[in-house]
Amino acid sequence: TAASQTVLTEKGITALDARLAAQVWDTLPQGALVFDAHTWRAAMLTGRPTRVVSSNRSFDYEYSAEWQALRTNPSPEAMLQNGFRYVYLDEAWWGELSPTSQASLADPCIKVVAEQSDEEDFRQLLDLAGCQP
């Protein structure tokens, strides 16, 4: 009887995430990296990897300096230089960003691949490929 109802068991995953996942799961190019300010979420929702920890040790769970810098001050150029073609954006992270960072993530070169919203929150999957020099 539960099979007909979606049950979101992972903390931090909302109905907006689930609806967006239904749109994009396994549709992005193989090997494409997705940046998410909440580390693991976008990989789980898109079926594509991310990179948040230092790659010099296999069990180093500290966030890399590069990832931390991108989370604090994102721009399409910096994301692409670090190998991230896609960005998973939510209301909480957007609200933490400076006006300069918000403007950079609203650049016309960015394509919105998928979007879900309600009266209080939103989710967007952004494609930065159009921002390549």
Side-chain angles (χ1 to χ4, degrees), residues 18-38:
R19 289 196 307 262
L20 196 130
Q23 289 179 269
V24 302
W25 174 257
D26 200 27
T27 62
L28 303 180
Q30 289 291 324
L33 290 178
V34 181
F35 184 90
D36 185 355
H38 299 287

Side-chain angles (χ1 to χ4, degrees), residues 54-116:
S54 173
S55 60
N56 60 358
R57 293 190 307 227
S58 60
F59 292 104
D60 180 1
Y61 290 109
E62 293 183 19
Y63 300 140
S64 70
E66 296 84 4
W67 183 87
Q68 291 177 5
L70 292 172
R71 187 185 192 290
T72 303
N73 190 23
S75 71
E77 298 80 17
M79 293 285 185
L80 289 166
Q81 287 173 355
N82 281 278
F84 294 99
R85 176 176 169 180
Y86 296 93
V87 175
Y88 193 71
L89 183 63
D90 68 6
E91 178 79 24
W93 184 35
W94 180 260
E96 295 173 11
L97 297 176
S98 71
T100 302
S101 292
Q102 288 180 348
S104 75
L105 290 179
D107 191 290
C109 68
I110 297 172
K111 177 184 173 193
V112 177
V113 175
E115 182 173 28
Q116 291 292 324

